[in-house]
Every structure is written in structure tokens, then in C-alpha cells.
Amino acid sequence: MRATFSLFFLACLSPDTAAAGVRQIPATATLAVPTVNPRSIIADGLRWRCTDSSCRGHTLGRWQSDVRVCRAMARRVGTVAAFFIWWH
């Protein structure tokens, strides 16, 4: 039990959950106002790359997590006009 909790705790602290073995699902976001320079952001612990009016990254594929990612992106890059998850 202690080892499981420790692994969960470390995964929550990791800025890149891919290293923690968490399944990530590709996603894209369209910004209402394009960014001037390409940039990388961390939204709810997940890395995204934004160029012009498009951002590409990953979500954890859970509704509440996806909403948090979208809100975190809006705080960092402005209004998100569309948010699409690439379910397989």
C-alpha cells in the first residue's frame, strides 16, 4: 500500500506524466487569438506546444481532467475556441 501511494504521489508531482507511465490521449486546441511566437506550456501538469492558433498536446482521457486542462490553457494562452480529443 505504501509503495502504491508513493508512486501515485510522484506521478502527481511530475510535470510530464508520460514518464510516470500514465496513458495520455492526443488532443488539439484552437485559440481564439493566435500566439505571436511558438511556445511550450504546461497545462494541469501536461505539456502542450502552441503555434499560431493551434496547440497540440495530450490529456488523460478523463472528463474532469480534460476540463482542467482546457481551463489551465485558457489561463496561459487566452480564450480556447475549440478543444478536441483524438479518441481511438
Side-chain angles (χ1 to χ4, degrees), residues 30-87:
T30 303
L31 306 177
V33 177
T35 61
V36 176
N37 297 317
R39 61 193 241 179
S40 182
I41 63 168
I42 303 294
D44 197 39
L46 300 167
R47 189 175 315 275
W48 285 73
R49 180 77 179 149
C50 298
T51 306
D52 297 324
S53 62
S54 177
C55 295
R56 292 178 182 251
H58 293 86
T59 70
L60 299 179
R62 294 181 294 238
W63 183 82
Q64 291 175 335
S65 174
D66 298 341
V67 171
R68 283 195 316 264
V69 168
C70 188
R71 286 181 180 163
M73 287 185 62
R75 283 192 297 271
R76 287 169 179 75
V77 294
T79 303
V80 176
F83 189 79
F84 184 80
I85 301 167
W86 296 90
W87 291 100

Side-chain angles (χ1 to χ4, degrees), residues 11-36:
C12 290
L13 292 177
S14 173
D16 187 0
T17 56
V22 176
R23 181 172 176 249
Q24 296 183 5
I25 299 171
T28 59
T30 303
L31 306 177
V33 177
T35 61
V36 176

